Amino acid sequence: MCGIVASVSTRNIVPILVQGLQRLEYRGYDSCGVAVYAGGLKRARSTSRVAELQEQVAHDKLEGGTGIAHTRWATHGAPAVHNAHPHFSHGSGDGATARAGKVALVHNGIIENYEELRAGLKAKGYAFESQTDTEVIVHLMDSLYDGDLFEALKATVAQLHGAYAIAAFCKDEPHRVVGARAGSPLILGVGKDKEKSENFLASDAMALAGVTDQIVYLEEGDMVDIQLGKYWVVGKDGKPAQRDVKTVQAHSGAAELGPYRHYMQKEIFEQPRAIADTLEGVEGIVPELFGDEAFRVFKDIDSVLILACGTSYYSGCAAKYWLESIAGIPTQVEVASEYRYRSSVPNPKSLVVTITQSGETADTLAALRHAQSLGMTQTLTICNVSTSAMVRECKLAYITRAGVEIGVASTKAFTTQLAGLFLLTLALAQSKGKLTDEEEAGHLKAMRHLPAALQAVLALEPQVISWAEDFAKMENALFLGRGLHYPIALEGALKLKEISYIHAEAYPAGELKHGPLALVTSEMPVVTVAPNDALLEKLKSNMQEVRARGGVLYVLADADSHIESGEGLHVIRMPEHYGALSPLLHVVPLQLLAYHTAVARGTDVDKPRNLAKSVTVE
């Protein structure tokens, strides 16, 4: 969600800025732009893709050594050129007292007091061209500028309430870019080419892949000043701060599409390798898999609180079944965006588990901080980015190794989260004396077989494509699951609506007769996740309820579940029954169903409308 790239250099930096935006396209956006110093403030903006912006930049011969660039996901104001970043200040005053603007600025996040600031700036004579909260920041910075851009930034952020990552430059100081972060990620890239004396800012290290691997992760409240051949950071206390420079291999090759039609398809088929990588080095179940303090923490806690959003929330819902049935630990799963806005009963002996692909999800970070403020300090994250804010702020962590996920609809991040959560379940069970050596060996054997089992499931793709041809003609769908597989039904419905724009809902199958059955007709396909577990016979009864109302069933059944295809009943047989780890296998055909339905309907699979990959605003 929203991307920033900025630089000062002795060379023309525009190709680097545009290339950085291309590498951030996976985050989701609806407009983009670039601005440089070229004897003054010059820019190009577009509500199309970055490729169109690149053409515009070439046509306008936009060049410069100092610049900022941005991809915007609309919050304040519709996707339109006048709302696109970068924004320029326009100066204040009227007539003879009018003053030309000096500052160019890009911003991720949301400024909560922008209306109050906007009114004050209008009173000073500033004219607004957009509906964005960002234009308030650039005018405010202009109004506070007195020859030192960094001091103007410091005075500006002191008046801002909300979340932001900011990068700005001024035409009066053409070899300087300043930045700040609070609640939204921003990194510093240290230039490796000493002759060019260049330095960079970005919202994601991926934007700088191939340009520099020397990355400084700015901390909450940091402000940064980059110039030719030098930079410095000031912490939220206003004092100079030392931040470590890390070598980060954000290879651009990780984002190459290869032989696949879409990134989502590529990432679905990468799941066997992603699971293998996530489990690499796990020889036995020990608390230290989650950090040096894990043994003590696991012994001390008596419950688990899971905080997550979207797909990550559904992985947490699945983990609840594991944690309570295998580890015997009471578990609560909360939607992170709701958790901090209600009165809850804190338990200092609860392990707070956050789940996030990016580690920068604003709602989940805010929920974590809220839990900590209530005295719940035993924290652990399941995260795909080792350098993220979430990993830094949690006491314990398990880093999944899904690799870069470009498609907005999460696939391999979800299954690797499930793998990490299953390991957590086993580690907690062991700590509580609930896991025998024989059980540990059995679970580890099953986990090591997952990559091969996933390959066998992926071979079902042709059968799923046949289902997708039917679904592409529909506008609604129901997904059913029971017990551990209800969260998988939820995830399947989410995938379908995210990328095909078909309205889809998921229910515990036993709830069908309590309302949703009223929706069932021949035009409402019903997808049923039907593993051969203790609830199978109950599920078969629910399926009969659908058939009796003329509904059409699409069933993912285990090989030995004795569910046969027939009129109004389509069955895909899974290669094998996989017990507790069955959710990792059953979700894959649902991912493929969503993907191939979206392809058949001609939607933008990797960049679905209105959505963003990394949701860094509340």
Side-chain angles (χ1 to χ4, degrees):
M1 175 179 285
C2 298
I4 289 173
V5 195
S7 180
V8 290
S9 178
T10 56
R11 62 171 159 167
N12 174 28
I13 207 66
V14 172
I16 299 296
L17 298 178
V18 173
Q19 184 182 65
L21 293 187
Q22 289 172 327
R23 292 192 176 127
L24 294 179
E25 285 190 282
Y26 75 96
R27 296 169 70 100
Y29 67 104
D30 42 45
S31 63
C32 52
V34 60
V36 296
Y37 175 78
L41 304 181
K42 303 290 178 63
R43 69 183 169 191
R45 298 183 291 178
S46 172
T47 54
S48 185
R49 292 301 183 197
V50 175
E52 195 278 336
L53 177 69
Q54 190 172 30
E55 293 176 2
Q56 186 179 335
V57 163
H59 178 270
D60 295 345
K61 296 182 171 57
L62 200 65
E63 295 182 355
T66 298
I68 53 179
H70 191 263
T71 51
R72 175 180 184 254
W73 186 80
T75 55
H76 297 70
V81 171
H82 67 276
N83 287 326
H85 301 210
H87 285 288
F88 290 169
S89 61
H90 303 297
S92 60
D94 296 310
T97 64
R99 180 179 59 79
K102 300 174 179 291
V103 182
L105 182 143
V106 293
H107 157 239
N108 292 348
I110 292 177
I111 304 304
E112 295 172 1
N113 62 332
Y114 84 101
E115 291 179 324
E116 172 191 336
L117 294 171
R118 186 183 181 105
L121 289 162
K122 280 187 172 181
K124 292 181 180 179
Y126 283 90
F128 286 81
E129 296 183 347
S130 77
Q131 290 80 49
T132 68
D133 53 346
T134 302
E135 194 179 7
V136 169
I137 309 174
V138 73
H139 288 331
L140 179 60
M141 199 164 172
D142 181 278
S143 73
L144 296 169
Y145 181 75
D146 190 22
D148 188 322
L149 189 62
F150 191 75
E151 290 300 317
L153 174 69
K154 188 186 300 184
T156 297
V157 299
Q159 297 188 42
L160 302 181
H161 300 159
Y164 54 80
I166 294 168
F169 72 90
C170 177
K171 69 177 185 179
D172 289 353
E173 300 177 76
H175 300 297
R176 188 183 200 185
V177 173
V178 298
R181 67 151 295 183
S184 197
L186 190 67
I187 63 162
L188 162 65
V190 182
K192 298 176 71 175
D193 192 326
K194 299 304 180 186
E195 290 185 7
K196 297 182 177 66
S197 303
E198 58 194 14
N199 287 303
F200 306 87
L201 297 179
S203 52
D204 189 324
M206 174 65 75
L208 305 180
V211 178
T212 182
D213 59 2
Q214 299 300 291
I215 303 298
V216 176
Y217 287 91
L218 300 174
E219 297 185 5
E220 187 73 0
D222 278 356
M223 291 181 288
V224 60
D225 190 334
I226 63 172
Q227 299 184 29
L228 292 173
K230 58 185 177 181
Y231 67 87
W232 59 87
V233 178
V234 171
K236 62 183 177 182
D237 60 1
K239 298 177 181 178
Q242 293 294 325
R243 302 285 181 248
D244 293 338
V245 180
K246 299 178 185 268
T247 300
V248 177
Q249 301 297 331
H251 292 301
S252 58
E256 291 173 1
L257 188 57
Y260 296 95
R261 186 171 178 182
H262 299 93
Y263 285 108
M264 183 178 178
Q265 183 186 30
K266 174 177 182 278
E267 287 152 13
I268 290 171
F269 278 84
E270 285 176 341
Q271 286 177 114
R273 169 50 56 193
I275 292 291
D277 289 346
T278 295
L279 300 177
E280 185 179 357
V282 178
E283 301 298 332
I285 301 302
V286 291
E288 286 72 23
L289 289 169
F290 298 87
D292 294 339
E293 295 185 63
F295 179 82
R296 178 190 59 77
V297 171
F298 289 178
K299 285 289 187 183
D300 189 49
I301 61 104
D302 62 10
S303 62
V304 172
L305 170 64
I306 296 175
L307 304 172
C309 299
T311 285
S312 296
Y313 171 75
Y314 296 147
S315 71
C317 291
K320 175 182 171 72
Y321 287 91
W322 288 333
L323 286 161
E324 295 196 340
S325 64
I326 297 173
I329 297 177
T331 300
Q332 183 178 359
V333 189
E334 293 267 3
V335 175
S337 59
E338 292 291 323
Y339 169 68
R340 68 183 175 124
Y341 294 113
R342 72 176 186 84
S343 297
S344 58
V345 181
N347 176 12
K349 292 180 74 66
S350 186
L351 177 65
V352 179
V353 177
T354 62
I355 311 170
T356 164
Q357 189 282 135
S358 67
E360 303 289 351
T361 308
D363 286 321
T364 310
L365 280 167
L368 169 69
R369 292 163 186 160
H370 177 65
Q372 291 170 325
S373 74
L374 296 176
M376 291 187 283
T377 60
Q378 311 293 12
T379 58
L380 181 151
T381 187
I382 305 291
C383 183
N384 193 41
V385 182
S386 62
T387 53
S388 64
M390 190 68 74
V391 173
R392 293 195 300 271
E393 294 189 28
C394 285
K395 186 177 293 185
L396 305 174
Y398 191 83
I399 307 303
T400 58
R401 298 179 184 175
V404 175
E405 191 177 62
I406 303 297
V408 165
S410 182
T411 52
K412 62 179 180 174
F414 178 73
T415 48
T416 54
Q417 285 171 353
L418 288 175
L421 288 163
F422 194 73
L423 282 177
L424 176 61
T425 298
L426 298 182
L428 286 170
Q430 184 190 75
S431 297
K432 301 300 181 183
K434 299 288 183 68
L435 187 69
T436 67
D437 291 344
E438 183 180 358
E439 288 169 335
E440 177 183 340
H443 286 309
L444 284 172
K445 182 180 179 181
M447 294 194 82
R448 292 188 186 109
H449 182 57
L450 275 172
L454 284 165
Q455 289 286 12
V457 175
L458 288 166
L460 299 172
E461 185 180 32
Q463 297 177 59
V464 178
I465 292 173
S466 177
W467 282 14
E469 291 170 355
D470 294 342
F471 275 72
K473 304 168 189 172
M474 304 298 177
E475 294 301 328
N476 301 280
L478 287 176
F479 286 69
L480 304 179
R482 295 204 74 142
L484 180 59
H485 294 82
Y486 168 49
I488 300 309
L490 286 165
E491 174 62 9
L494 177 62
K495 285 291 151 287
L496 189 68
K497 57 188 153 192
E498 277 182 311
I499 62 169
S500 74
Y501 313 146
I502 292 172
H503 173 246
E505 297 291 341
Y507 291 91
E511 283 295 292
L512 193 63
K513 57 186 175 292
H514 295 292
L517 196 58
L519 296 172
V520 171
T521 69
S522 60
E523 298 300 309
M524 174 75 81
V526 180
V527 180
T528 308
V529 184
N532 190 9
D533 59 15
L535 291 171
L536 179 61
E537 293 307 315
K538 297 289 185 185
L539 186 61
K540 285 181 178 179
S541 297
N542 304 138
M543 290 164 54
Q544 290 300 326
E545 294 167 1
V546 172
R547 294 190 69 185
R549 274 77 179 177
V552 181
L553 284 160
Y554 293 80
V555 183
L556 293 173
D558 284 345
D560 54 355
S561 59
H562 306 294
I563 300 173
E564 303 297 333
S565 295
E567 182 67 28
L569 178 58
H570 307 275
V571 178
I572 291 179
R573 298 201 177 280
M574 300 291 284
E576 55 185 308
H577 176 56
Y578 223 65
L581 289 168
S582 174
L584 280 86
L585 302 189
H586 274 86
V587 76
V588 174
L590 300 182
Q591 295 169 346
L592 288 169
L593 176 63
Y595 171 72
H596 285 291
T597 301
V599 169
R601 288 169 69 97
T603 64
D604 191 343
V605 173
D606 290 328
K607 304 183 187 73
R609 68 190 182 200
N610 304 334
L611 300 180
K613 181 65 181 173
S614 181
V615 186
T616 54
V617 298
E618 185 180 353

